[in-house]
Amino acid sequence: MDIEHILNAHGIGATGLRTFDKKPPLAVLGFDATASGGSVVLSWTNPDDSDFAGVRIQRKIGSYPVDYGDGVTVYKGKNSLFVDNSIEMNARYYYRAFTYDYNGNYNKSDTMRSVTRIENLEKVYGVDIDQSNPDPFTAVTYVGEAVGLTPGSAIIDAIYPFNRIRPVLLNSEGEAISELNKNNFNLTAQGGTANLNSRHNVMIEFPKLWIKIETVGDVIQIRFASSKIDETYKCFAHMKGNEEKDVFYLGAYLNSYNSGMLKSWSGYRPATAMTISEHRNMARVNGESYGLINFYQWLYLQILFIFKYKSVNSQAALGLGYTYTSERNTTVAGATNTKGMYYGSKVDSKERVKFLGLEDIYGNYATFLEGILLSPTYELLTSTTDFNDFGTGYQLSETSIASSMNGFISKTHGTASQGFLPKEVKGSSAGCYGDRAILFSNNPFTCGGAFTESSSVGMFYLNSLYGTSAKNIYVGSRLAYI
């Protein structure tokens, strides 16, 4: 029952008995409903009217809502963009917007209507990366459904999988106990106070994505969709051995040490100076399916970063990260809690970055990466389960790497199984990536890069210089659950 609709019908407005004002505000302009990866993106321009209090959007299947009490209310407020995720496939949805004033007068203009159909016709988004082009922005081209997008814009966050990524409190069984406010992690999505450092881990949920990566000449071609288009599309980030998962979770913060285990908690310093096996074992204390971020989950993030910013240079696109080399960062996790899902500064090397809710995704401290090793003869060893220090049970694939390398990345392998594993480096950051690779055989990998690496850090930074027994004070870890 719509109480507001009934009250208005009897002459009672939002502030009690209705005044003599019976004139509704002006209509919104350009009301549009666009299907996007299993969701509907609603956009409009609010009127320049002092009487305007908000807009109410009704949804209905089969026909337009006749008034603001007909159908389902999907949005009410003053924003000019809303993503409707509560829809089903293979249905035609009719949307109608109604502006209202402070006295409960509604504008029922027929101009505020739009219709869209959600079908199982999969949209494929993608980018091409020309590795011969040293400019990190013009080297990337939007293709497929991505043509015409504005890099870094909010409309990208309305596209799958961005529109299904969310911060949560996750328990030991992998259950999302509470969803957090994307703009302020200190609050729940419902507006209550969130406890970010007691019992449950603060994690980011990532939905399954099917990815195709091929290289033609110097151009890496990346395509992704919400379902499997054909056999060339893979979902390695959501695989656990032979088991396919719908979601995986990553810690919103670098891990901290608490009571014999590693936690993704706000308010604590990152845990460093431990071997990768020590990090691995203490992560597992959280629960059976807990561990550390792996190579294919990192590749998933790399692809979304390129797509979001149309760039392969992280520091130029998002921010420097904490890369102030003169001082080890003593700040605890959670510095970006109120910064939304994305944050960075391109001028201040003491400001930490945040991408898709992941604080310190690069800079501050490097992060151990599971499921990847180079063999003594530089074949790539990868796995999505049963992680260990020696690559036992891992899948082996040939690479273009003949010996150890140390330099700025100029070319990568560019395949679904090998991702952005570097195959060529230079002595300066002249390539489009801008990040450093230091690769040696038999050693664990770290990603992102520490503050000591300054301008070398970023989404493509990889380092396997130190052995399995190394306890580096500049290397931490990030929780994963799958």
Side-chain angles (χ1 to χ4, degrees):
M1 180 182 296
D2 191 326
I3 298 298
E4 182 184 6
H5 187 250
I6 294 174
L7 291 174
N8 280 337
H10 289 79
I12 302 174
T15 57
L17 290 175
R18 192 179 299 170
T19 69
F20 290 109
D21 174 22
K22 294 185 178 181
K23 182 179 179 180
L26 297 174
V28 301
L29 299 176
F31 183 65
D32 181 67
T34 303
S36 176
S39 299
V40 175
V41 180
L42 302 168
S43 60
W44 61 93
T45 300
N46 288 325
D48 183 11
D49 188 336
S50 60
D51 196 34
F52 173 74
V55 60
R56 175 169 172 166
I57 299 177
Q58 298 295 117
R59 183 190 72 204
K60 194 175 179 182
I61 295 178
S63 63
Y64 286 109
V66 295
D67 62 24
Y68 61 88
D70 186 24
V72 176
T73 303
V74 297
Y75 176 76
K76 187 176 181 182
K78 285 189 170 183
N79 290 337
S80 57
L81 179 72
F82 177 74
V83 180
D84 185 7
N85 292 319
S86 59
I87 45 98
E88 301 294 333
M89 303 297 280
N90 285 328
R92 184 178 294 276
Y93 287 95
Y94 292 78
Y95 292 88
R96 188 171 177 183
F98 300 87
T99 55
Y100 58 89
D101 64 15
Y102 296 98
N103 290 310
N105 298 307
Y106 277 81
N107 189 323
K108 301 179 181 180
S109 169
D110 285 341
T111 63
M112 298 186 288
R113 303 194 304 183
S114 189
V115 62
T116 188
R117 181 173 179 81
I118 303 297
E119 301 180 276
N120 286 323
L121 298 176
E122 189 59 68
K123 289 190 173 184
V124 177
Y125 293 87
V127 292
D128 285 349
I129 306 169
D130 182 358
Q131 297 182 107
S132 67
N133 183 348
D135 187 299
F137 293 94
T138 60
V140 181
T141 305
Y142 282 138
V143 297
E145 296 290 339
V147 172
L149 290 176
T150 300
S153 66
I155 196 67
I156 292 178
D157 294 319
I159 296 171
Y160 186 91
F162 294 89
N163 60 3
R164 301 296 175 89
I165 295 170
R166 60 176 188 150
V168 300
L169 296 179
L170 198 72
N171 69 8
S172 61
E173 302 299 321
E175 299 169 327
I177 300 302
S178 178
E179 182 174 349
L180 303 179
N181 184 312
K182 288 185 176 183
N183 295 317
N184 185 352
F185 285 13
N186 295 315
L187 303 175
T188 66
Q190 292 73 38
T193 301
N195 192 334
L196 305 181
N197 53 19
S198 176
R199 192 176 179 186
H200 305 307
N201 286 297
V202 185
M203 308 287 279
I204 310 298
E205 180 181 283
F206 295 94
K208 182 161 54 182
L209 189 65
W210 293 86
I211 299 168
K212 175 181 180 179
I213 309 177
E214 296 179 333
T215 298
V216 179
D218 288 330
V219 178
I220 299 177
Q221 300 174 344
I222 301 173
R223 308 291 183 264
F224 64 81
S226 60
S227 63
K228 189 175 184 179
I229 302 300
D230 56 44
E231 292 303 318
T232 64
Y233 283 74
K234 310 295 181 183
C235 63
F236 290 141
H238 289 80
M239 298 299 295
K240 188 175 183 179
N242 295 321
E243 189 177 0
E244 189 178 303
K245 302 287 188 177
D246 289 330
V247 297
F248 69 80
Y249 298 87
L250 296 177
Y253 315 112
L254 295 179
N255 291 332
S256 57
Y257 178 82
N258 290 275
S259 303
M261 68 176 76
L262 293 179
K263 306 294 291 187
S264 178
W265 282 356
S266 180
Y268 289 85
R269 286 197 59 186
T272 64
M274 296 188 293
T275 66
I276 187 172
S277 62
E278 289 172 330
H279 280 272
R280 181 187 301 129
N281 292 336
M282 282 191 276
R284 288 173 177 168
V285 179
N286 284 280
E288 182 180 356
S289 294
Y290 274 91
L292 307 178
I293 183 174
N294 71 46
F295 173 67
Y296 290 115
Q297 291 162 351
W298 182 247
L299 175 59
Y300 178 105
L301 298 176
Q302 290 174 315
I303 290 170
L304 294 191
F305 189 96
I306 298 169
F307 188 79
K308 172 72 175 177
Y309 296 108
K310 193 179 168 291
S311 176
V312 287
N313 188 314
S314 325
Q315 291 183 307
L318 177 61
L320 302 177
Y322 189 93
T323 50
Y324 185 64
T325 57
S326 300
E327 181 182 330
R328 184 178 178 184
N329 184 17
T330 58
T331 308
V332 297
T336 63
N337 280 345
T338 61
K339 303 294 187 180
M341 295 290 280
Y342 309 94
Y343 180 72
S345 170
K346 298 174 185 177
V347 296
D348 190 345
S349 61
K350 290 186 177 181
E351 286 290 306
R352 292 146 82 174
V353 292
K354 188 179 190 181
F355 176 66
L356 292 174
L358 303 173
E359 183 178 87
D360 293 326
I361 195 167
Y362 58 83
N364 203 7
Y365 297 100
T367 306
F368 275 123
L369 202 55
E370 288 277 40
I372 177 173
L373 288 169
L374 288 172
S375 75
T377 50
Y378 289 92
E379 293 96 353
L380 180 65
L381 298 167
T382 57
S383 182
T384 59
T385 189
D386 298 329
F387 303 121
N388 58 80
D389 291 352
F390 312 106
T392 305
Y394 285 23
Q395 295 292 316
L396 184 148
S397 60
E398 298 291 331
T399 73
S400 299
I401 305 172
S403 61
S404 62
M405 61 171 60
N406 183 355
F408 288 90
I409 302 168
S410 56
K411 290 185 180 180
T412 65
H413 283 74
T415 66
S417 61
Q418 297 183 339
F420 295 100
L421 178 71
K423 66 177 181 180
E424 181 182 296
V425 297
K426 295 181 178 180
S428 67
S429 56
C432 59
Y433 294 98
D435 298 350
R436 181 178 290 276
I438 307 171
L439 302 185
F440 286 78
S441 62
N442 293 329
N443 295 336
F445 274 66
T446 65
C447 62
F451 72 95
T452 54
E453 300 282 349
S454 186
S455 61
S456 303
V457 308
M459 295 297 298
F460 301 93
Y461 175 97
L462 282 177
N463 189 333
S464 62
L465 175 62
Y466 301 102
T468 56
S469 61
K471 298 185 177 184
N472 195 321
I473 63 172
Y474 303 127
V475 177
S477 62
R478 190 179 300 273
L479 281 185
Y481 182 98
I482 186 169

